Amino acid sequence: MDLTFAFAALLGRSDFPAASYDAYYGGDTLDEFLLPALWLTPAALASSAPVALPDIDACYLDDDHQALAWEFDLANSLFAVEWADDVLPAAFLADVRAADADMFVRGTDLGVLLARHGLDLTAESAGRLNYRISALLRLATDGTLHDAMRMATFTHRLPALASFGSGGPRRVEEGWEAALAAVEPPQLRDHLRLHCLEPFWSRDAGARYLGADEWPTGTSALDGRRKLLAGWEFGESQSGVAVVA
């Protein structure tokens, strides 16, 4: 199933320069329920091997997406740390700031600092750090735009696709209905239409497509660091995924 034409329709062009492209997932629900996390260990953060997250309550995924779940690259995910010396050791915070002035560090760097300062994000006591340590998870891709779009649009498990007809009536944004009209086969077109719903209909199904005009919920920390190419929001703007250059 060729995705090239479909992605060109969504992106509004097909001629992108050779570069490194990524897709990141973040959101309010992820920040609220992130910790404790049995998968956030220094060893896991040191590895870029794709990993499925077991406690996906932190990620907003409706029934249409359960069978199309993502895998993540924790080493190259990004973590924002708040200067909160009431719950985090001052020495740890100073080391985070030394790694990045905005205290926005890669997973591999966070893992080193957690081990150095003896912080355990798997312990029940780590729950107090929710909103003090926030995650922007990198979807496991090969660095190409095509692969980032595959992951962001949940077309990475072809031929498995979400059904547009399940879950009752749904309305697609008029402009994206027209843009996707020529996408074949119909199953792929309907899958992508499900990710271009009007705001009301995307509240409990599919997604709303923002294009490159607006950073999705949970990803705006990338603004000024990366260029937004495509973004989607899930639920009532609870979470989002951004494809960036």
Side-chain angles (χ1 to χ4, degrees):
M1 194 177 295
D2 186 6
L3 298 169
T4 305
F5 177 81
F7 291 163
L10 289 169
L11 294 167
R13 55 183 288 191
S14 59
D15 56 328
F16 282 87
S20 177
Y21 298 91
D22 298 298
Y24 289 95
Y25 172 85
D28 295 338
T29 47
L30 181 61
D31 290 345
E32 182 177 359
F33 300 111
L34 179 65
L35 302 172
L38 296 179
W39 45 272
L40 271 182
T41 65
L45 290 167
S47 173
S48 59
V51 60
L53 303 188
D55 47 352
I56 208 67
D57 286 348
C59 297
Y60 180 86
L61 290 177
D62 58 36
D63 292 341
D64 292 312
H65 296 102
Q66 290 296 339
L68 305 172
W70 287 319
E71 290 184 320
F72 298 94
D73 166 12
L74 296 182
N76 292 299
S77 293
L78 297 167
F79 294 83
V81 180
E82 179 186 339
W83 190 277
D85 53 10
D86 56 330
V87 291
L88 284 165
F92 168 78
L93 294 171
D95 279 354
V96 172
R97 178 164 287 171
D100 183 89
D102 296 325
M103 303 185 72
F104 194 49
V105 296
R106 293 171 61 237
T108 186
D109 296 323
L110 178 64
V112 169
L113 297 181
L114 292 174
R116 179 184 301 168
H117 295 278
L119 296 178
D120 184 359
L121 300 185
T122 72
E124 284 298 319
S125 59
R128 74 188 191 282
L129 301 180
N130 281 319
Y131 291 112
R132 307 302 179 93
I133 297 179
S134 302
L136 190 52
L137 300 178
R138 182 186 183 273
L139 280 60
T141 73
D142 62 8
T144 65
L145 178 58
H146 188 270
D147 209 35
M149 288 293 291
R150 284 176 64 243
M151 293 295 291
T153 58
F154 295 93
T155 52
H156 60 296
R157 295 188 184 275
L158 291 176
L161 293 166
S163 171
F164 186 86
S166 63
R170 295 166 179 177
R171 291 178 55 180
V172 181
E173 289 274 8
E174 183 176 351
W176 295 116
E177 185 79 87
L180 296 171
V183 171
E184 296 287 349
Q187 295 91 337
L188 174 60
R189 180 169 64 249
D190 282 348
H191 173 95
L192 296 175
R193 290 171 69 234
L194 182 66
H195 296 84
C196 297
L197 298 179
E198 293 181 351
F200 176 82
W201 299 101
S202 66
R203 293 169 64 192
D204 62 357
R208 180 166 74 100
Y209 185 38
L210 306 177
D213 299 326
E214 179 183 348
W215 286 95
T217 296
T219 67
S220 61
L222 294 170
D223 192 8
R225 293 172 177 254
R226 304 292 293 270
K227 180 180 179 181
L228 176 66
L229 300 181
W232 287 262
E233 279 194 340
F234 306 101
E236 297 179 344
S237 298
Q238 289 151 298
S239 58
V241 61
V243 174
V244 298

